[in-house]
């Protein structure tokens, strides 16, 4: 169950990063206010780290896999808490 939740969160972070990129591209073309470069890079970095940790969690059924899954949850919580609260 932990690995399923962390997998969903990792996928959600990737989707959020893609949506932010689309919003950034749209707002830079129209001159509107939108997500800044720091927010965009932060989300992409978090998505890459979360996916890498999720790959480890999916391939290891021992303590390392559990810690990797918990790491995904930590990265997700830190990213959402930093940028969205």
């Amino acid at each position: 169950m932990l690995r399923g939740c962390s997998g969903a969160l990792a996928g959600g972070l990737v989707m959020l990063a893609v949506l932010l990129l689309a919003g950034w591209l749209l707002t830079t073309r129209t001159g509107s206010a939108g997500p800044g470069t720091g927010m965009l890079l932060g989300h992409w970095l978090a998505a890459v780290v979360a996916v890498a940790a999720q790959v480890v969690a999916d391939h290891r059924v021992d303590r390392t896999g559990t810690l990797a899954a918990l790491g995904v949850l930590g990265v997700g919580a830190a990213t959402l808490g930093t940028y969205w609260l």
Side-chain angles (χ1 to χ4, degrees):
M1 185 166 157
L2 174 64
R3 284 173 177 81
C5 290
S6 64
L9 183 61
L13 284 172
V14 171
M15 290 176 53
L16 183 58
V18 169
L19 288 173
L20 281 172
L21 177 62
W24 181 78
L25 289 171
L26 178 69
T27 57
T28 56
R29 292 178 193 264
T30 61
S32 304
T37 307
M39 184 177 200
L40 189 65
L41 292 176
H43 279 76
W44 276 100
L45 177 63
V48 167
V49 169
V51 168
Q54 186 61 37
V55 168
V56 172
D58 286 341
H59 286 91
R60 304 277 303 255
V61 293
D62 56 356
R63 181 180 171 144
T64 303
T66 302
L67 290 174
L70 290 172
V72 172
L73 297 178
V75 167
T79 303
L80 296 176
T82 299
Y83 291 107
W84 295 97
L85 288 181

